[in-house]
């Protein structure tokens, strides 16, 4: 049984125009279709990477999996039970077991809390252990993320560097002993010089503790490094999914090819035909049906504009792309 | 669990004292204001020992003369009233009433205002709607007719003076704290607290409250100052408690005596005290305002 399974997971945001626009000018409210019909499963001990440009719905997906944002449609299935209809005990277990690491270490720590209280907050809120044990676990957790407890417990967030803050954020999630960590671009707000250190820490902790993870990044190099499987999103839709090396080394979908081509060509001797992308990336406001990449895709035909080919997640090891036109694409060099 | 929560609160509060001290010491005016408040507190606490006479005792000078309407002298430092009451004794004992009314109504009003503001701001929607309509109704209610009705119904009692002041004053703090709560609840650390499993009440009182604390203390000081002014005007208009003496009540007695034009000293002492105490509170609150509103900070 998968740890987390997303079934047709969809989230729309309604943007209502101002009162005057709505009543006098008769402007309708519009829908941002931030995430559309995602199907994916994450197994125990597996790391699923999610890649995509900013605004493609990565954070929205994370928030839904963490139970912080209700889906518009579709299900989040945690160890076999649908969270929307699950009883309180299951939801409480999910709340503890699926923890999130936030993108912005400057915004995600309460400025009025000391480090020890930030890390102890989850166990205290859920009353996981008695106070003494919580204190002990907080100390060893801080040591585990490379922060000397004697030096850091009494500090406030403003007394820490960005990297130290992100370590505190990681400690506050991991002290709960979760089975899944959702990491929403945990490195993107950090200095390039300290990213490697935090990434190593993440992998080391993952090795020791064996949690599974949804790791979001727009950096394919990082994802290639940490993830087992990769899902590529574009404006709310999943474009391609598969084992990470396969997706990065032989991308199928025109969008993935463009994305990877734009990042770097790993081997200069390999000539990979990269489709030129035209048009602007926009927000998915009242998008037409069909593939959202179609307006920018050089290979698109009518079928692409009419229907979107959803991925089949029954086989988690399969490498597949949500594209009608794979047969007309030029072969990729491998 | 309850005990450990309480001890954590104590811990936080104790650690907070140093911070408050630093805030108050951070600027010369609030330093002076704070000292004056302490002086007034000491006077109020030891009033019965400091006051040489009973406030309503007719005093005689050392020659055995009835001391009526005497200007300040060595014997009667702040002069006497037309009925021969010692104004220094009255002023010292009145400090007690005034401070108690100020502190009690200031604190009750900030407690009500803060809780309503936090809850309305955090939950939003229907809860917010109902609570804010309630404050709007109170905003439309003028103080004087309100206290006149209360006094007419229940008599001139300290409790009702305080009740009237509280009902009039809490609304502003509720609005301001609601606005601040709305802005804080959108910050990501609140989402992080939710992700870690914190309940709504825990988020309100453990995560949001410490962040509105500077603003809350600012309005606590405002509310105390407003209570003192309001009590003075109520007393001056004859709606105070007849049994106790306050600074506003002293001015009311002066007004009743018809000696306003002659007895300048009778007017001076309570007025100066009201002004000094209110200004001190405003100075101290200014220091908190700089913390609450970083844009005011000079650094
Ligand atoms: N609370 C919200 N209200 C309205 N629109 C939102 C909200 N949250 C996200 N969006 C929109 O949904 C889309 C996806 O956002 P997000 O999930 O944050 O993308 P990503 O994390 O991939 O950059 C964006 O177009 C964004 O503007
Ligand atoms: Mg994001």
């Amino acid at each position: 049984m998968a740890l987390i399974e997303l079934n047709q997971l969809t989230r729309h945001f309604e943007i209502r125009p101002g009162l005057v626009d709505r009543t006098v000018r008769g402007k309708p409210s519009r829908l941002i279709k931030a995430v559309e019909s995602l199907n994916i499963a994450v197994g125990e001990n597996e790391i699923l990477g999610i890649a995509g440009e900013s605004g493609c719905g990565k954070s929205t997906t994370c928030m839904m999996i963490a139970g912080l944002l209700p889906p518009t449609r579709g299900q989040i299935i945690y160890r076999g039970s649908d969270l929307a209809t699950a009883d309180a005990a299951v939801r409480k277990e999910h709340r503890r077991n699926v923890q999130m690491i936030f993108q912005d270490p400057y915004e995600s720590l309460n400025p009025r809390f000391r480090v020890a209280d930030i890390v102890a907050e989850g166990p205290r809120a859920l009353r996981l252990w008695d106070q003494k044990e919580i204190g002990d676990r907080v100390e060893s957790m801080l040591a585990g993320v490379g922060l000397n407890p004697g030096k850091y417990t009494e500090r406030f967030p403003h007394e820490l560097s960005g990297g130290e803050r992100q370590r505190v954020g990681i400690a506050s999630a991991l002290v709960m002993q979760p089975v899944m960590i959702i990491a929403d671009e945990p490195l993107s707000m950090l200095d390039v010089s300290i990213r490697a250190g935090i990434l190593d820490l993440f992998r080391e902790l993952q090795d020791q503790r064996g949690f599974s993870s949804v790791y979001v990044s727009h950096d394919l190099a990082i994802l290639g490094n940490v993830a087992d499987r990769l899902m590529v999103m574009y404006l709310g839709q999943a474009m391609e999914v598969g084992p990470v090396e396969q997706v990065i080394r032989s991308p199928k979908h025109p969008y993935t090819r463009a994305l990877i081509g734009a990042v770097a060509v790993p081997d200069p001797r390999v000539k990979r035909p990269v489709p030129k992308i035209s048009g602007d990336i926009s927000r998915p406001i009242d998008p037409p049906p069909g593939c959202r990449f179609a307006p920018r895709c050089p290979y698109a035909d009518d079928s692409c504009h009419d229907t979107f080919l959803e991925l089949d997640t029954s086989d988690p090891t399969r490498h597949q792309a949500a594209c009608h036109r794979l047969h007309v694409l030029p072969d990729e060099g491998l | 669990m309850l005990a450990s929560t309480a001890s954590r609160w104590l811990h936080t509060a104790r650690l907070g004292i140093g911070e408050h001290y630093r805030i108050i010491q951070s600027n010369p005016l609030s330093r002076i204001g704070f000292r004056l408040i302490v002086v007034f507190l000491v006077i109020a606490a030891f009033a019965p020992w400091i006051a040489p006479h009973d406030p309503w005792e007719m005093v005689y000078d050392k020659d055995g003369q009835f001391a009526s309407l005497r200007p300040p002298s060595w014997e009667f430092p702040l002069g006497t009233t037309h009925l021969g009451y010692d104004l220094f004794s009255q002023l010292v004992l009145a400090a007690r009433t005034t401070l108690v009314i100020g502190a009690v109504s200031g604190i009750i009003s900030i407690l009500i205002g803060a809780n309503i503001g936090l809850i309305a701001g955090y939950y939003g929607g229907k809860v917010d709607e109902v609570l804010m309509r309630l404050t709007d109704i109170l905003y439309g209610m003028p103080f004087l007719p309100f206290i006149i009705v209360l006094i007419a119904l229940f008599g001139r009692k300290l409790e009702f003076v305080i009740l009237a002041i509280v009902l009039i004053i809490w609304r502003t703090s509720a609005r301001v704290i609601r606005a601040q709560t709305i802005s804080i609840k959108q910050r990501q650390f609140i989402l992080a607290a939710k992700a870690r499993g914190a309940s709504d009440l825990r988020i309100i009182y453990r995560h949001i409250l410490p962040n509105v604390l500077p603003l809350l203390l600012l309005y606590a000081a405002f509310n105390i100052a407003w209570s003192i002014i309001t009590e003075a005007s109520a007393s001056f208009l004859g709606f105070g408690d007849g049994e106790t003496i306050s600074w506003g009540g002293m001015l009311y007695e002066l007004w009743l005596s018809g000696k306003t034009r002659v007895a300048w000293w009778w007017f001076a002492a309570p007025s100066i005290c009201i002004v000094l105490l209110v200004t001190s509170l405003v100075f101290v609150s200014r220091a908190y305002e700089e913390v609450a509103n970083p844009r005011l900070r000079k650094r």
Side-chain angles (χ1 to χ4, degrees):
Chain A
M1 190 189 351
L3 179 55
I4 285 272
E5 208 178 315
L6 310 184
N7 184 8
Q8 294 288 315
L9 190 69
T10 300
R11 174 71 206 203
H12 296 169
F13 293 105
E14 197 181 351
I15 30 177
R16 289 156 66 88
L19 191 66
V20 175
D21 274 352
R22 211 162 58 229
T23 51
V24 182
R25 304 207 181 100
K27 279 197 186 168
S29 59
R30 299 194 297 172
L31 278 186
I32 298 189
K33 301 194 169 176
V35 174
E36 193 74 47
S37 305
L38 280 192
N39 297 310
I40 190 107
V42 187
E44 309 270 352
N45 221 341
E46 183 187 32
I47 300 188
L48 173 74
I50 302 182
E53 289 158 280
S54 117
C56 72
K58 305 182 297 291
S59 297
T60 306
T61 307
C62 288
M63 301 258 288
M64 285 191 285
I65 302 173
L68 297 172
L69 186 73
T72 306
R73 187 157 46 76
Q75 290 142 351
I76 299 158
I77 294 159
Y78 167 76
R79 287 188 164 153
S81 28
D82 177 0
L83 279 187
T85 55
D87 55 33
V90 173
R91 283 217 294 273
K92 192 177 171 194
E93 192 197 312
H94 166 265
R95 165 60 64 240
R96 175 197 173 166
N97 276 345
V98 177
Q99 283 300 323
M100 185 146 173
I101 299 173
F102 291 86
Q103 178 173 13
D104 186 346
Y106 292 88
E107 258 296 299
S108 55
L109 306 182
N110 192 329
R112 303 242 150 212
F113 274 41
R114 287 166 199 278
V115 166
D117 289 325
I118 293 172
V119 179
E121 181 57 12
R124 281 177 185 161
L126 293 180
R127 303 181 181 185
L128 295 182
W129 306 289
D130 64 40
Q131 284 304 323
K132 169 150 187 347
E133 180 159 10
I134 290 176
D136 294 345
R137 284 174 185 260
V138 165
E139 292 211 344
S140 63
M141 193 64 239
L142 281 173
V145 297
L147 298 175
N148 175 0
K151 195 168 149 204
Y152 285 95
T153 45
E154 293 289 299
R155 291 209 188 163
F156 284 103
H158 70 259
E159 297 168 311
L160 306 177
S161 70
E164 288 167 340
R165 283 172 194 232
Q166 199 54 299
R167 284 170 195 265
V168 172
I170 292 172
S172 72
L174 282 180
V175 74
M176 314 276 286
Q177 301 201 312
V179 296
M180 173 180 263
I181 287 286
I182 297 170
D184 186 4
E185 306 198 50
L187 306 179
S188 66
M189 309 285 280
L190 300 177
D191 259 16
V192 179
S193 56
I194 55 173
R195 286 185 187 173
I198 305 280
L199 189 64
D200 287 346
L201 173 70
F202 182 85
R203 295 202 306 170
E204 184 187 308
L205 289 165
Q206 207 269 336
D207 275 352
Q208 284 168 11
R209 295 167 173 249
F211 49 80
S212 65
S213 178
V214 171
Y215 193 104
V216 172
S217 177
H218 53 250
D219 185 340
L220 288 166
I222 289 179
L223 288 171
N225 200 309
V226 294
D228 301 316
R229 260 194 318 153
L230 185 62
M231 174 166 77
V232 179
M233 290 178 72
Y234 182 81
L235 293 184
Q237 291 171 332
M239 294 287 147
E240 181 159 353
V241 65
V244 70
E245 317 80 45
Q246 287 184 39
V247 175
I248 290 181
R249 292 184 51 221
S250 51
K252 293 179 190 248
H253 197 285
Y255 172 66
T256 320
R257 295 188 189 191
L259 189 69
I260 287 167
V263 174
V265 179
D267 185 347
R269 285 161 303 177
V270 177
K271 280 223 171 60
R272 178 183 298 141
V274 172
K276 208 176 137 284
I277 298 192
S278 51
D280 257 344
I281 184 157
S282 55
R283 301 213 301 171
I285 301 177
D286 291 335
C291 175
R292 296 200 181 146
F293 186 59
R296 292 168 72 192
C297 180
Y299 310 105
D301 70 359
D302 287 349
S303 61
C304 301
H305 291 281
D306 293 341
T307 52
F308 178 66
L309 184 72
E310 276 166 27
L311 296 174
D312 164 25
T313 51
S314 50
D315 180 3
T317 56
R318 221 174 99 198
H319 177 195
Q320 45 181 335
C323 184
H324 293 294
R325 307 276 293 157
L326 288 178
H327 57 280
V328 303
L329 299 188
D331 275 348
E332 50 219 311
L334 230 175
Chain B
M1 189 62 212
L2 199 69
S4 71
T5 311
S7 80
R8 244 193 342 272
W9 265 102
L10 274 179
H11 183 65
T12 323
R14 189 164 47 78
L15 289 167
I17 288 174
E19 200 185 338
H20 296 310
Y21 185 76
R22 193 182 49 72
I23 292 171
I24 286 164
Q25 296 292 319
S26 67
N27 102 36
L29 286 181
S30 78
R31 216 151 42 214
I32 295 171
F34 180 69
R35 282 182 198 159
L36 275 172
I37 292 170
V38 171
V39 169
F40 279 122
L41 282 174
V42 170
I43 291 175
F46 296 100
W49 294 277
I50 297 172
H53 302 281
D54 187 273
W56 290 292
E57 172 196 342
M58 293 185 183
V59 291
Y60 295 84
D61 62 20
K62 54 184 177 301
D63 305 327
Q65 294 275 1
F66 178 51
S68 166
L69 275 188
R70 296 283 174 83
S73 62
W74 279 115
E75 214 178 347
F76 307 110
L78 296 176
T80 62
T81 74
H82 65 312
L83 296 176
Y85 302 153
D86 177 39
L87 279 167
F88 177 70
S89 306
Q90 286 204 340
L91 192 83
V92 165
L93 287 156
R96 201 173 234 203
T97 324
T98 306
L99 280 172
V100 166
I101 291 179
V104 171
S105 27
I107 288 167
I108 295 179
S109 62
I110 195 71
L111 282 178
I112 298 176
N115 281 293
I116 290 194
L118 283 166
I119 288 173
Y122 180 76
Y123 287 104
K126 282 246 155 31
V127 177
D128 186 30
E129 196 75 15
V130 170
L131 291 175
M132 284 302 109
R133 286 302 82 77
L134 191 74
T135 32
D136 284 347
I137 291 167
L138 278 176
Y139 255 104
M141 187 134 62
F143 176 66
L144 282 176
F146 183 64
I147 192 169
I148 289 169
V149 170
L150 266 187
I151 300 297
L153 286 176
F154 302 105
R156 287 172 56 180
K157 280 260 178 51
L158 198 62
E159 298 91 288
F160 295 112
V161 176
I162 291 179
L163 177 69
I165 295 174
V166 166
L167 280 175
I168 292 303
I169 282 179
W170 69 267
R171 57 197 186 184
T172 314
S173 27
R175 285 204 159 175
V176 175
I177 287 173
R178 170 182 171 269
Q180 178 94 344
T181 304
I182 290 175
S183 97
I184 289 173
K185 81 166 177 188
Q186 289 159 354
R187 305 265 309 266
Q188 208 177 46
F189 61 80
I190 298 300
L191 194 66
K194 258 186 216 155
R196 304 290 177 253
S199 62
D200 286 342
L201 285 182
R202 194 175 172 90
I203 288 175
I204 293 175
Y205 291 104
R206 232 174 109 65
H207 292 263
I208 297 180
L209 182 61
N211 285 284
V212 299
L213 201 61
L215 189 75
L216 205 142
L217 291 168
L218 169 70
Y219 272 84
F222 275 170
N223 284 3
I224 295 172
W226 270 114
S227 305
I228 288 166
I229 292 172
T230 311
E231 192 278 333
S233 17
S235 294
F236 179 72
L237 294 168
F239 300 123
D241 182 345
E243 307 282 297
T244 51
I245 184 162
S246 71
W247 292 336
M250 289 171 71
L251 292 173
Y252 175 58
E253 297 293 325
L254 166 64
W255 181 252
L256 283 187
S257 74
K259 307 286 184 214
T260 321
R261 281 156 189 258
V262 269
W264 56 267
W265 58 91
W266 191 349
F267 171 75
S271 315
I272 289 174
C273 283
I274 293 173
V275 170
L276 275 183
L277 181 55
V278 170
T279 324
S280 303
L281 284 162
V282 171
F283 284 161
V284 170
S285 66
R286 277 289 300 182
Y288 278 98
E289 196 166 8
E290 284 181 17
V291 181
N293 184 354
R295 260 168 297 171
L296 288 177
R297 233 172 280 170
K298 282 169 224 98
R299 266 182 288 147

